Amino acid sequence: MEWIVSSPRPLVMVVITAAAMYLSLIIMTRLAGVRSFSKMSGFDFAVTVSIGSVLASVILTPDPPLVQGLVALAALFALQMGVATLRVHSDLFEGSTNNKPRLIMSNGEMLRDQMAKAKITENDLLGKLREANVLDFSQVDAAVAETTGDISVLHRQRGDAPLAASLLKGVLAADRYRPRPVVN
């Protein structure tokens, strides 16, 4: 029966702890900035999951205690801010904490060797093309496996401007992209 019902004291403690952690989360997010919960890199995602784990542990169980949870939360935010600062000032550090984006489709053709390196299946790519409202492979100028695991689909309709090659700066295998002429 204790799996279903609880006495009032633990319920009150959950509410108090949740309110304290929520307020702390708002304050720390304001101090650290919006990147705190971004998906810009695998590192950012890992920190976001860690923050969620700390919140759940502190709110739902008496161990760790509230103060320990607040310190853990502050430490995660401080680490993320420190890594973000180092990434801005050091190309070497940025390269060691980020995956590189990879070109996986160019001018309507799947680059299967690059898809394999990115661990992306044809079905993964087809799903992203459908999400991007691609009606035909010929509409796709490029598809990029981003550092976050997302796939960006860069496509155009007849008469649209071609993809600016500068948008592929830093993308692995970008040299395999060849701009197509505008067709009216």
Side-chain angles (χ1 to χ4, degrees), residues 16-184:
I16 291 170
T17 304
M21 292 300 286
Y22 182 72
L23 181 61
S24 299
L25 185 65
I26 289 171
I27 291 168
M28 289 181 204
T29 302
R30 295 287 300 190
L31 292 172
V34 293
R35 184 175 179 126
S36 302
F37 295 105
S38 74
K39 289 188 344 176
M40 291 185 181
S41 71
F43 178 79
D44 294 320
F45 179 72
V47 170
T48 299
V49 170
S50 298
I51 288 169
S53 179
V54 167
L55 287 171
S57 296
V58 173
I59 291 170
L60 294 175
T61 63
D63 189 33
L66 177 60
V67 173
Q68 193 173 343
L70 292 171
V71 170
L73 200 60
L76 286 169
F77 274 94
L79 286 168
Q80 186 178 37
M81 288 170 57
V83 168
T85 300
L86 287 171
R87 288 177 59 221
V88 166
H89 298 296
S90 167
D91 291 339
L92 178 64
F93 196 80
E94 181 181 15
S96 67
T97 58
N98 268 1
N99 294 321
K100 290 264 190 197
R102 181 178 298 276
L103 186 70
I104 57 172
M105 191 170 184
S106 176
N107 296 323
E109 290 186 33
M110 293 182 192
L111 304 177
R112 295 188 185 282
D113 62 322
Q114 296 302 311
M115 289 170 61
K117 288 178 182 176
K119 312 277 189 288
I120 292 174
T121 67
E122 183 175 333
N123 285 334
D124 295 333
L125 180 54
L126 291 173
K128 288 298 180 177
L129 295 176
R130 289 188 296 268
E131 283 180 19
N133 297 317
V134 171
L135 302 175
D136 188 81
F137 286 154
S138 65
Q139 293 177 307
V140 180
D141 275 357
V144 177
E146 300 291 355
T147 61
T148 61
D150 288 340
I151 297 173
S152 296
V153 179
L154 305 162
H155 60 93
R156 63 180 163 147
Q157 303 292 328
R158 287 171 104 34
D160 286 350
L163 171 67
S166 61
L167 286 174
L168 298 178
K169 180 182 176 193
V171 174
L172 297 172
D175 59 319
R176 294 179 58 185
Y177 172 74
R178 300 286 180 259
R180 294 182 292 178
V182 175
V183 178
N184 290 320

